[in-house]
Amino acid sequence: MTTIDSSPDTSGDSTIGRLLAADVDWLTSSDHKKIGRMFVGAGLLGLLATIVTNLLIAIERVDGGAAAFDSDSWAQLLGTQRVGLVFAVLLPLAMAMCVALVPLQVGARSIVFPRLAFAGFWMWLGGAIVTVVALVNNGGSLGGDSDMVDLFIVGLGLMALGLLASAGSVATTILTTRAPGMTMRRVPPSTGSALVFSLGIVLVMPVFVGTLTYL
């Protein structure tokens, strides 16, 4: 082949290959910024689902005539609203900010135990999916299907363990990998808030998981 010959057209294959490689990189990355973005994306999806649930509840309450949902469906909507707002929106979005920003604020090269934070995200996401499946099949806290109620408890436990893993990684990063000369008095206020949040998760979630195990 001379210098003016055109190379074979492999743009299609290379584009597909690059897309697949990018997807695999995101799904297996231990980069704290990517983990934080995945938490944000999943948390926003949870926010959208919670908004839809609240709209359905509002429609039911506004309609003064015949009920739009039976008693089982109404109980699952209320359970979805409560669980979704806390475990699918507030906690993952707060965790996303902690995982993505804390290493940058304390001058660390990366988050401590990045694989633990990565595993925490997937445990939380898997638990969220299991919880949704249980709620759809009448298995919430007021559910009538005992098997789905057990599945609902398992889903909550997975979400709690995932948040616990990520919170432990964040707290350890703040306490052990600060830049030289950065004492706890010199860390940004948001980092101090992240430490309080992470330690709160570390203290509360084991008790929560123990209670679920008892149930």
Side-chain angles (χ1 to χ4, degrees):
M1 179 184 295
T2 65
T3 56
I4 60 173
D5 288 336
S6 60
S7 59
D9 185 11
T10 59
S11 58
D13 295 337
S14 62
T15 301
I16 295 175
R18 286 196 298 270
L19 289 175
L20 291 176
D23 292 339
V24 171
D25 180 62
W26 271 90
L27 296 177
T28 61
S29 176
S30 59
D31 183 2
H32 65 96
K33 294 185 289 295
K34 291 183 178 180
I35 297 172
R37 290 170 184 170
M38 289 191 293
F39 264 119
V40 168
L44 292 178
L45 287 177
L47 177 60
L48 178 61
T50 304
I51 290 174
V52 172
T53 301
N54 286 327
L55 289 176
L56 293 175
I57 292 175
I59 292 172
E60 174 69 17
R61 288 176 174 174
V62 168
D63 187 5
F69 304 100
D70 57 28
S71 58
D72 288 337
S73 299
W74 178 249
Q76 301 319 304
L77 284 175
L78 293 178
T80 302
Q81 179 196 39
R82 295 163 184 167
V83 173
L85 184 61
V86 177
F87 282 94
V89 181
L90 297 180
L91 290 179
L93 289 179
M95 189 62 65
M97 298 298 102
C98 295
V99 171
L101 298 180
V102 161
L104 302 177
Q105 292 177 339
V106 300
R109 291 182 299 175
S110 177
I111 195 170
V112 175
F113 308 130
R115 295 294 181 184
L116 181 63
F118 171 78
F121 167 76
W122 286 110
M123 280 193 291
W124 169 81
L125 183 61
I129 294 173
V130 170
T131 302
V132 170
V133 171
L135 287 168
V136 170
N137 290 278
N138 193 22
S141 57
L142 300 176
D145 190 322
S146 60
D147 291 336
M148 289 297 107
V149 171
D150 292 340
L151 189 65
F152 175 75
I153 294 174
V154 171
L156 287 180
L158 282 175
M159 286 194 290
L161 289 175
L163 294 170
L164 175 61
S166 298
S169 181
V170 171
T172 306
T173 300
I174 298 173
L175 295 174
T176 63
T177 62
R178 298 188 305 275
M182 180 180 288
T183 64
M184 288 302 301
R185 292 184 177 182
R186 294 183 177 180
V187 297
S190 57
T191 300
S193 300
L195 178 61
V196 173
F197 169 74
S198 299
L199 291 178
I201 294 293
V202 170
L203 292 175
V204 170
M205 287 305 172
V207 179
F208 181 67
V209 172
T211 303
L212 292 176
T213 304
Y214 175 76
L215 291 175

